[in-house]
Amino acid sequence: QKEVEQDPGPLSVPEGAIVSLNCTYSNSAFQYFMWYRQYSRKGPELLMYTYSSGNKEDGRFTAQVDKSSKYISLFIRDSQPSDSATYLCAIGMGNQFYFGTGTSLTVIP
Amino acid sequence: DSGVTQTPKHLITATGQRVTLRCSPRSGDLSVYWYQQSLDQGLQFLIQYYNGEERAKGNILERFSAQQFPDLHSELNLSSLELGDSALYFCASSPRGARTGELFFGEGSRLTVL
């Protein structure tokens, strides 16, 4: 079983839509929960991270963690064409980090 | 620009060959991570070094090896290459003592094995 499973997508939404991206993980020992964004032909860049259950907001982005269900989500409000990218969830403990396979998002103007 | 530099950006080679990928971490970052990204497997953790010492090992094949030098740059050596080794190889660095998952990735080295 993989440490983290991510809904594969791809997702295609109209500009302005709310986007929901989801992952589940297997081990309750994981401590950090992250979302990375990867544009085509670029390396992933950290978008958000959190340690605890609950919501963390940063502008149009909200990361949600439910440790009891081992479920993490990223919500994007008022999606923009510039949000078109692959989004990777990641979980970590200690020095080790595991990434989901990524969800490709296209926001159509 | 993340500050992490990877060379070469693209590499085409034949099966059975050996290649070396190079990574320079962000200034001041002591940790270097290597990841392999392929379409079907996503980002797979290979190995981590901290200040010259191996700290963690993931799904790294025995044909692959890595090291981190005193100037903190790192090299990933891939030998006896197979078609299935074709992938994007990313290096990432993290700030000293960071445990937040804040990895800064380079732009990757795209390896094609023919």
Side-chain angles (χ1 to χ4, degrees):
Chain A
Q1 184 184 9
K2 283 189 175 181
E3 289 82 6
V4 57
E5 301 274 1
Q6 183 168 2
D7 291 348
L11 281 180
S12 183
V13 301
E15 184 175 352
I18 296 174
V19 176
S20 170
L21 305 168
N22 305 295
C23 291
T24 58
Y25 61 96
S26 56
N27 189 338
S28 57
F30 286 112
Q31 302 163 304
Y32 330 118
F33 308 94
M34 292 80 70
W35 286 94
Y36 283 77
R37 178 174 61 196
Q38 185 176 18
Y39 290 112
S40 181
R41 301 185 182 280
K42 297 289 186 182
E45 58 178 336
L46 181 66
L47 203 54
M48 297 188 73
Y49 70 88
T50 183
Y51 305 97
S52 54
S53 276
N55 292 350
K56 182 176 181 179
E57 214 172 292
D58 184 1
R60 297 183 294 109
F61 299 89
T62 300
Q64 187 177 80
V65 174
D66 182 345
K67 286 189 175 182
S68 62
S69 302
K70 302 193 194 69
Y71 197 85
I72 59 176
S73 299
L74 178 70
F75 298 96
I76 308 174
R77 291 185 300 279
D78 186 25
S79 55
Q80 302 295 308
S82 58
D83 295 329
S84 298
T86 296
Y87 290 81
L88 302 127
C89 62
I91 54 175
M93 59 177 161
N95 294 316
Q96 299 203 25
F97 305 96
Y98 299 93
F99 286 78
T101 49
T103 301
S104 175
L105 171 67
T106 301
V107 181
I108 302 166
Chain B
D1 182 359
S2 67
V4 177
T5 304
Q6 288 188 248
T7 56
K9 290 194 185 316
H10 302 278
L11 193 53
I12 301 174
T13 188
T15 54
Q17 295 299 304
R18 172 190 169 95
V19 298
T20 297
L21 309 180
R22 182 188 168 100
C23 168
S24 294
R26 292 189 328 153
S27 177
D29 286 358
L30 300 180
S31 272
V32 168
Y33 296 75
W34 285 99
Y35 284 86
Q36 179 192 59
Q37 187 177 43
S38 56
L39 279 174
D40 55 343
Q41 293 291 320
L43 261 177
Q44 297 288 307
F45 168 65
L46 296 178
I47 198 163
Q48 182 216 354
Y49 281 83
Y50 180 84
N51 202 21
E53 291 188 6
E54 182 185 305
R55 275 293 177 92
K57 219 168 194 178
N59 299 324
I60 187 166
L61 299 172
E62 284 193 14
R63 301 183 285 109
F64 296 0
S65 65
Q67 54 183 327
Q68 187 180 26
F69 295 86
D71 67 352
L72 301 177
H73 91 271
S74 178
E75 292 181 357
L76 179 67
N77 301 296
L78 315 175
S79 62
S80 302
L81 286 168
E82 302 175 359
L83 295 178
D85 297 328
S86 296
L88 259 174
Y89 290 84
F90 284 105
C91 166
S93 71
S94 69
R96 178 177 182 170
R99 292 188 178 277
T100 62
E102 192 170 16
L103 299 179
F104 294 86
F105 283 83
E107 297 206 345
S109 292
R110 183 175 293 278
L111 172 66
T112 303
V113 182
L114 300 175

